[in-house]
Amino acid sequence: MTQYAFHLDGGKCTGCKTCQVACKETYRLPATNLYRKVYSYQGGSWDATAAGHYVPNGVFGYFISLACNHCTNAACVENCPTGAMQKDPDTGIVWTDHEVCIGCKTCQTACPYKAPTFNEEEGYMLKCDMCRGEVATGGKPICVIGCPMRALDFGPREELVERYGEGDIEVEPLPQDTTGPNLILTPHRNAQKSGVGTGSVVNLQEEL
């Protein structure tokens, strides 16, 4: 089986949200739903001096573009009560059968990355399926095509690892790895380790 994966170069991502917007517009997602989200993680402070000036004290910031990671041990698939969440045996892509989904949100609760999102209009769960229709015809996901900085890439996991190395998925604001996410993350130079980070997520735009 081929396991497809995403690669994100945190040093190249500028937080422009082109990937997020391209995906939302392509799939005509409802106002409150996103397949891909761009997180801004910042920390440090500006401290006042005796002269009344402000100087940086450990100031840092970086962005992470995140969609479904099509995990090897996908919690959404393992916990879905109806079998609506499925992992393709040939590509490793995790997708949702909307004919079977009852919108119970179990997948959303189980997913450590909160990738599934509830469609209020239709009553079922939505999430990134890695543009599997495009992939089936030799194309690439729209987020990868749309990224102006080429911070995103896509392909068989082994090819991405050969090209970029193993990377490190455990950086803030992402959780610790418990599901085998197929995201090869090349961290930003200021990336903080999961669980020990000193910053916070800011300006996360859920709606467009």
Side-chain angles (χ1 to χ4, degrees):
M1 181 192 85
T2 297
Q3 174 62 66
Y4 284 110
F6 285 115
H7 171 257
L8 172 65
D9 188 334
K12 292 182 179 178
C13 181
T14 63
C16 69
K17 295 190 172 77
T18 301
C19 56
Q20 180 176 301
V21 174
C23 173
K24 189 176 182 72
E25 290 299 308
T26 297
Y27 292 103
R28 297 291 189 266
L29 297 179
T32 57
N33 298 112
L34 291 171
Y35 286 167
R36 180 170 286 278
K37 301 174 184 177
V38 178
Y39 294 83
S40 174
Y41 192 76
Q42 300 177 13
S45 62
W46 288 83
D47 299 339
T49 67
H53 304 298
Y54 285 86
V55 295
N57 180 12
V59 172
F60 69 88
Y62 56 89
F63 302 95
I64 289 184
S65 175
L66 187 69
C68 173
N69 292 318
H70 304 275
C71 300
T72 299
N73 303 306
C76 59
V77 175
E78 294 175 0
N79 289 277
C80 178
T82 67
M85 287 290 177
Q86 301 186 24
K87 188 171 179 67
D88 189 286
D90 296 322
T91 64
I93 293 174
V94 177
W95 62 285
T96 311
D97 186 344
H98 294 153
E99 297 297 322
V100 179
C101 181
I102 58 174
C104 66
K105 302 182 183 179
T106 301
C107 56
Q108 186 179 57
T109 302
C111 176
Y113 303 98
K114 305 304 177 189
T117 177
F118 183 64
N119 184 337
E120 297 283 353
E121 298 175 6
E122 302 293 340
Y124 52 62
M125 303 304 292
L126 298 170
K127 72 165 203 64
C128 161
D129 66 359
M130 209 176 255
C131 294
R132 67 192 188 108
E134 292 294 322
V135 171
T137 59
K140 292 185 176 183
I142 188 64
C143 56
V144 175
I145 295 172
C147 178
M149 301 304 293
R150 297 297 179 257
L152 285 170
D153 200 359
F154 154 87
R157 182 183 177 92
E158 61 271 20
E159 291 184 10
L160 294 180
V161 169
E162 183 177 350
R163 191 178 308 153
Y164 302 109
E166 288 287 349
D168 185 359
I169 189 66
E170 294 190 349
V171 302
E172 293 286 2
L174 306 184
Q176 294 181 329
D177 175 6
T178 59
T179 57
N182 286 295
L183 169 65
I184 310 301
L185 175 61
T186 302
H188 188 276
R189 65 182 182 277
N190 293 328
Q192 308 285 294
K193 289 296 292 181
S194 297
V196 296
T198 58
S200 59
V201 177
V202 297
N203 299 326
L204 174 58
Q205 187 172 335
E206 292 281 356
E207 302 180 14
L208 290 174

